[in-house]
Short mmCIF file of all heavy atoms in Angstrom, two decimals:
data_model
loop_
_atom_site.label_atom_id
_atom_site.label_comp_id
_atom_site.label_asym_id
_atom_site.label_seq_id
_atom_site.Cartn_x
_atom_site.Cartn_y
_atom_site.Cartn_z
N ILE A 27 88.14 107.59 73.51
CA ILE A 27 88.73 108.07 74.76
C ILE A 27 87.67 108.81 75.58
O ILE A 27 87.55 108.61 76.81
CB ILE A 27 89.93 109.00 74.47
CG1 ILE A 27 91.09 108.20 73.88
CG2 ILE A 27 90.38 109.73 75.74
CD1 ILE A 27 92.22 109.06 73.32
N ALA A 28 86.88 109.67 74.92
CA ALA A 28 85.84 110.44 75.61
C ALA A 28 84.80 109.51 76.23
O ALA A 28 84.34 109.75 77.35
CB ALA A 28 85.19 111.41 74.64
N THR A 29 84.44 108.46 75.53
CA THR A 29 83.47 107.49 76.05
C THR A 29 84.02 106.79 77.29
O THR A 29 83.33 106.66 78.30
CB THR A 29 83.14 106.43 74.96
OG1 THR A 29 82.56 107.09 73.83
CG2 THR A 29 82.17 105.39 75.50
N TYR A 30 85.27 106.36 77.19
CA TYR A 30 85.92 105.63 78.30
C TYR A 30 86.03 106.51 79.54
O TYR A 30 85.63 106.11 80.64
CB TYR A 30 87.30 105.16 77.85
CG TYR A 30 88.14 104.53 78.95
CD1 TYR A 30 87.83 103.26 79.42
CD2 TYR A 30 89.22 105.20 79.50
CE1 TYR A 30 88.58 102.67 80.43
CE2 TYR A 30 89.98 104.63 80.51
CZ TYR A 30 89.66 103.36 80.98
OH TYR A 30 90.39 102.79 81.97
N ILE A 31 86.54 107.73 79.38
CA ILE A 31 86.76 108.61 80.53
C ILE A 31 85.43 109.07 81.13
O ILE A 31 85.28 109.11 82.36
CB ILE A 31 87.60 109.84 80.13
CG1 ILE A 31 88.95 109.40 79.55
CG2 ILE A 31 87.81 110.76 81.33
CD1 ILE A 31 89.81 108.59 80.48
N SER A 32 84.45 109.38 80.29
CA SER A 32 83.14 109.81 80.79
C SER A 32 82.49 108.72 81.62
O SER A 32 81.91 108.98 82.68
CB SER A 32 82.22 110.18 79.62
OG SER A 32 82.75 111.24 78.87
N HIS A 33 82.62 107.48 81.15
CA HIS A 33 82.02 106.34 81.86
C HIS A 33 82.67 106.14 83.23
O HIS A 33 81.96 106.01 84.24
CB HIS A 33 82.16 105.07 81.03
CG HIS A 33 81.75 103.83 81.77
ND1 HIS A 33 80.44 103.54 82.07
CD2 HIS A 33 82.49 102.82 82.31
CE1 HIS A 33 80.38 102.41 82.75
NE2 HIS A 33 81.62 101.95 82.90
N ILE A 34 84.00 106.12 83.28
CA ILE A 34 84.63 105.84 84.57
C ILE A 34 84.51 107.01 85.54
O ILE A 34 84.44 106.82 86.76
CB ILE A 34 86.10 105.38 84.43
CG1 ILE A 34 86.97 106.45 83.76
CG2 ILE A 34 86.19 104.07 83.69
CD1 ILE A 34 88.45 106.06 83.70
N LEU A 35 84.45 108.23 85.04
CA LEU A 35 84.23 109.37 85.93
C LEU A 35 82.86 109.26 86.60
O LEU A 35 82.72 109.48 87.81
CB LEU A 35 84.33 110.69 85.16
CG LEU A 35 85.72 111.34 85.06
CD1 LEU A 35 85.68 112.52 84.10
CD2 LEU A 35 86.20 111.78 86.44
N CYS A 36 81.85 108.94 85.81
CA CYS A 36 80.49 108.84 86.36
C CYS A 36 80.33 107.63 87.28
O CYS A 36 79.64 107.71 88.31
CB CYS A 36 79.47 108.77 85.23
SG CYS A 36 79.27 110.31 84.32
N SER A 37 80.97 106.52 86.93
CA SER A 37 80.79 105.29 87.72
C SER A 37 81.67 105.26 88.97
O SER A 37 81.24 104.77 90.03
CB SER A 37 81.07 104.06 86.85
OG SER A 37 82.40 104.07 86.37
N LYS A 38 82.89 105.77 88.87
CA LYS A 38 83.83 105.71 89.99
C LYS A 38 83.66 106.87 90.98
O LYS A 38 84.01 106.77 92.14
CB LYS A 38 85.26 105.69 89.47
CG LYS A 38 85.66 104.42 88.75
CD LYS A 38 85.86 103.28 89.74
CE LYS A 38 86.47 102.07 89.07
NZ LYS A 38 86.81 101.00 90.04
N PHE A 39 83.13 107.99 90.50
CA PHE A 39 82.98 109.16 91.36
C PHE A 39 81.54 109.68 91.29
O PHE A 39 81.28 110.81 90.86
CB PHE A 39 83.96 110.26 90.92
CG PHE A 39 85.40 109.80 90.88
CD1 PHE A 39 85.97 109.37 89.69
CD2 PHE A 39 86.16 109.76 92.04
CE1 PHE A 39 87.29 108.93 89.65
CE2 PHE A 39 87.47 109.32 92.01
CZ PHE A 39 88.04 108.90 90.82
N PRO A 40 80.57 108.86 91.75
CA PRO A 40 79.16 109.25 91.64
C PRO A 40 78.81 110.49 92.44
O PRO A 40 77.88 111.22 92.07
CB PRO A 40 78.42 108.01 92.17
CG PRO A 40 79.43 107.29 93.03
CD PRO A 40 80.74 107.54 92.37
N ASP A 41 79.54 110.75 93.53
CA ASP A 41 79.25 111.93 94.36
C ASP A 41 79.59 113.24 93.66
O ASP A 41 79.20 114.31 94.13
CB ASP A 41 79.99 111.85 95.69
CG ASP A 41 79.44 110.73 96.59
OD1 ASP A 41 78.31 110.27 96.31
OD2 ASP A 41 80.14 110.32 97.53
N PHE A 42 80.32 113.17 92.54
CA PHE A 42 80.64 114.39 91.79
C PHE A 42 79.40 114.92 91.04
O PHE A 42 79.40 116.07 90.61
CB PHE A 42 81.74 114.12 90.77
CG PHE A 42 83.12 113.94 91.36
CD1 PHE A 42 83.32 113.84 92.72
CD2 PHE A 42 84.23 113.88 90.53
CE1 PHE A 42 84.59 113.67 93.26
CE2 PHE A 42 85.52 113.72 91.05
CZ PHE A 42 85.69 113.61 92.42
N ASN A 43 78.39 114.05 90.90
CA ASN A 43 77.15 114.44 90.20
C ASN A 43 77.43 114.99 88.79
O ASN A 43 76.91 116.03 88.40
CB ASN A 43 76.36 115.48 91.01
CG ASN A 43 75.88 114.92 92.35
OD1 ASN A 43 75.36 113.80 92.40
ND2 ASN A 43 76.07 115.68 93.41
N LEU A 44 78.25 114.25 88.05
CA LEU A 44 78.61 114.66 86.70
C LEU A 44 77.60 114.15 85.68
O LEU A 44 76.99 113.10 85.87
CB LEU A 44 80.01 114.14 86.35
CG LEU A 44 81.15 114.62 87.27
CD1 LEU A 44 82.42 113.84 86.97
CD2 LEU A 44 81.38 116.10 87.11
N ASN A 45 77.43 114.88 84.61
CA ASN A 45 76.53 114.49 83.53
C ASN A 45 77.33 113.83 82.42
O ASN A 45 78.24 114.45 81.86
CB ASN A 45 75.78 115.71 83.01
CG ASN A 45 74.83 115.37 81.88
OD1 ASN A 45 75.23 115.26 80.73
ND2 ASN A 45 73.55 115.21 82.22
N TYR A 46 76.99 112.59 82.09
CA TYR A 46 77.76 111.83 81.10
C TYR A 46 77.83 112.54 79.75
O TYR A 46 78.90 112.66 79.15
CB TYR A 46 77.17 110.43 80.92
CG TYR A 46 77.85 109.62 79.84
CD1 TYR A 46 78.94 108.82 80.14
CD2 TYR A 46 77.40 109.67 78.52
CE1 TYR A 46 79.58 108.08 79.15
CE2 TYR A 46 78.04 108.95 77.52
CZ TYR A 46 79.12 108.16 77.84
OH TYR A 46 79.75 107.45 76.86
N ASN A 47 76.71 113.02 79.26
CA ASN A 47 76.68 113.65 77.94
C ASN A 47 77.52 114.92 77.90
O ASN A 47 78.23 115.18 76.92
CB ASN A 47 75.24 113.96 77.54
CG ASN A 47 74.43 112.70 77.27
OD1 ASN A 47 74.98 111.68 76.84
ND2 ASN A 47 73.14 112.76 77.54
N ASN A 48 77.45 115.71 78.98
CA ASN A 48 78.27 116.93 79.04
C ASN A 48 79.75 116.60 79.08
O ASN A 48 80.57 117.27 78.44
CB ASN A 48 77.88 117.77 80.25
CG ASN A 48 76.50 118.39 80.12
OD1 ASN A 48 75.97 118.49 79.02
ND2 ASN A 48 75.93 118.80 81.24
#
Side-chain angles (χ1 to χ4, degrees):
I27 291 169
T29 299
Y30 174 73
I31 302 300
S32 299
H33 172 72
I34 61 176
L35 270 172
C36 290
S37 61
K38 291 286 190 174
F39 305 96
D41 291 342
F42 287 9
N43 296 315
L44 301 170
N45 180 278
Y46 176 89
N47 292 330
N48 291 341

